[in-house]
Amino acid sequence: MIATIRGKILQKNPPQVVVECGGLGYEIDVPMSTFYNLPNIGEEVFLETVMIVREDAQLLYGFLTAQEKSVFRQLLKVSGIGPRISLAMLSSMSAEDIGNAIANNEVGLLTMVPGIGKKTAERLVLELKDKMVVTSAPTVSSVQTEVIQALVALGFSEREARGAAKNVPADADASEGIRLCLRQLAQKG
């Protein structure tokens, strides 16, 4: 199987890239988090890859980090989660955020990903809670979770929402937290 690839980027068409290696052009699907951090066309790139062989296709998925590749593989082990949904998850949330959301039973955050409903999010938590490698991020309170969900619903990225929600006081309610975060995000923009 193809575990990594190093070569020159020939094409970039989200969510795919074509990487030339040894005279061959490999079509690789990547999450948007990887796509946005790729070098320019004509430049060299190194990608961690996962190859999936099906009856009708041989598919190659690429990642800039080994952690993204590991999370992708873990997600594929869950019933009902295929490569497309796994890529959507990694496009919507960082590998660390996915691990923390699963570890902290944040079903609401997982359902923000297109293609993930409540039952699928609960299955992810149930099946991966003890298997997912989680970074030592601080635990998110239920008020902070509500604030994050509201900010994401308003169009902020999950990363921006988490960053702003860190500053919500422990004694604040959700509406007060949302107002504080909106003020903070408005000042940054």
Side-chain angles (χ1 to χ4, degrees), residues 40-60:
N40 295 322
I41 291 176
E43 294 181 17
E44 187 172 291
V45 67
F46 177 81
L47 295 173
E48 297 279 342
T49 59
V50 173
M51 184 175 183
I52 296 178
V53 179
R54 301 187 325 212
E55 273 185 34
D56 60 342
Q58 295 180 18
L59 304 168
L60 197 56

Side-chain angles (χ1 to χ4, degrees), residues 92 108-109 112 140-169 173-188:
S92 300
L109 280 179
M112 298 287 184
V140 178
S141 72
S142 61
V143 170
Q144 287 174 324
T145 299
E146 285 182 57
V147 169
I148 292 167
Q149 290 173 348
L151 293 173
V152 170
L154 289 171
F156 292 98
S157 75
E158 201 264 337
R159 184 168 282 139
E160 288 173 318
R162 276 189 179 274
K166 278 190 245 178
N167 301 324
V168 173
D173 65 4
S175 60
E176 183 182 346
I178 293 167
R179 278 193 297 276
L180 291 170
C181 290
L182 286 173
R183 274 192 222 119
Q184 179 185 345
L185 290 166
Q187 289 174 353
K188 286 183 179 179

Side-chain angles (χ1 to χ4, degrees), residues 117-129:
K118 185 175 181 186
K119 287 184 180 182
T120 304
E122 289 170 347
R123 192 174 330 112
L124 278 164
V125 169
L126 179 68
E127 293 186 30
L128 295 179
K129 190 167 183 110

Side-chain angles (χ1 to χ4, degrees), residues 54-69:
R54 301 187 325 212
E55 273 185 34
D56 60 342
Q58 295 180 18
L59 304 168
L60 197 56
Y61 298 92
F63 311 93
L64 283 176
T65 67
Q67 186 177 24
E68 282 184 325
K69 178 179 177 177

